[in-house]
Amino acid sequence: MTLAGDTSRAMIDPSQLTNAILNLSLNARDAMPDGGKLTIETCNVVLDDNYAGMNVDVTAGNYVMIAVTDSGHGIPADIVDKVFEPFFTTKDVDKDPARTQHGLRLRQAIGWAYQDLQRGGTARR
């Protein structure tokens, strides 16, 4: 964990944030069957008007970023857009029925996120 000591206060739903971090961590575990690195970090960021203009869900301003990064195999390019769908999952229903019912729920819990399609992935809020 890399948690900034000077992180600003933020209004969040603690249960949703906990659930999102837990789900991202479990998916990271599944993406690294032979081991790997999972990093959770926080820091203050400023999203400017230029960035907000390119991302319709973003209002320019000061934010607290929470990033969950893993060194796993990442999400294939052909399904990365689906991770924001409320019930999308790549999990087998027979192996994990509880998580399959709920998927990642990134859009509801996090609001917006970024996925690095190369090696591993990062979800940021």
Side-chain angles (χ1 to χ4, degrees), residues 95-117:
K95 292 183 181 176
D96 200 348
R99 283 181 56 216
T100 301
Q101 274 186 335
H102 301 292
L104 276 178
R105 291 189 173 213
L106 287 179
R107 177 66 70 190
Q108 292 89 342
I110 296 181
W112 58 275
Y114 169 78
Q115 167 66 36
D116 180 352
L117 292 175

Side-chain angles (χ1 to χ4, degrees), residues 43-79:
C43 69
N44 294 319
V45 295
V46 177
L47 302 180
D48 61 16
D49 289 328
N50 185 44
Y51 183 87
M54 295 184 298
N55 297 276
V56 296
D57 293 340
V58 176
T59 302
N62 297 315
Y63 290 85
V64 174
M65 180 194 72
I66 301 169
V68 179
T69 306
D70 68 70
S71 61
H73 53 71
I75 297 175
D78 62 328
I79 63 168

Side-chain angles (χ1 to χ4, degrees), residues 1-2 37-41 67-70:
M1 284 193 149
T2 307
K37 183 177 180 181
L38 172 67
T39 304
I40 299 172
E41 60 184 309
V68 179
T69 306
D70 68 70

Side-chain angles (χ1 to χ4, degrees), residues 2-16:
T2 307
L3 306 178
D6 63 344
T7 303
S8 299
R9 296 176 67 88
M11 290 179 43
I12 62 163
D13 178 320
S15 296
Q16 285 188 344

